[in-house]
Amino acid sequence: MTPEERTEIQTLFERRNGLNELASILTAYNADLYEKLVNDLGETSTKFQGWWNRMAEKYQWESAENSNWEINFDTCEIYLVTP
């Protein structure tokens, strides 16, 4: 994987984590802000999964039932994590 591809998923990873943290402290009391957060989180999660799908196809990564891939952001290496 290229450093550019790594940076793309790292940005999405950090954004998704930040939105999840915000969701844990934000209540539905502010409906407009909550709705924006939910929409943004949905879009970011879709982009995040789309990146993994594109890269898996591009690089022909192995997969296994009930497993997921993880990335080492320092080395750009991908690992298959199985239960």
Side-chain angles (χ1 to χ4, degrees):
M1 160 182 359
T2 68
E4 292 80 15
E5 291 166 340
R6 181 262 332 260
T7 299
E8 181 183 357
I9 193 62
Q10 187 172 19
T11 299
L12 290 168
F13 176 80
E14 290 170 356
R15 181 171 183 80
R16 188 183 67 163
N17 285 351
L19 290 169
N20 280 327
E21 285 183 35
L22 183 57
S24 70
I25 60 172
L26 185 67
T27 66
Y29 179 71
N30 184 335
D32 290 337
L33 184 57
Y34 187 77
E35 186 65 29
K36 182 172 174 28
L37 171 67
V38 168
N39 288 335
D40 198 1
L41 186 55
E43 288 175 20
T44 301
S45 294
T46 298
K47 289 177 184 176
F48 184 82
Q49 186 59 51
W51 183 93
W52 284 105
N53 294 345
R54 283 192 327 275
M55 295 301 117
E57 186 174 327
K58 178 179 179 178
Y59 293 108
Q60 298 297 299
W61 292 334
E62 289 183 33
S63 62
E65 191 171 335
N66 297 320
S67 64
N68 63 287
W69 297 297
E70 290 186 2
I71 183 172
N72 179 323
F73 290 119
D74 294 327
T75 65
C76 298
E77 293 177 294
I78 301 296
Y79 301 94
L80 182 64
V81 178
T82 57

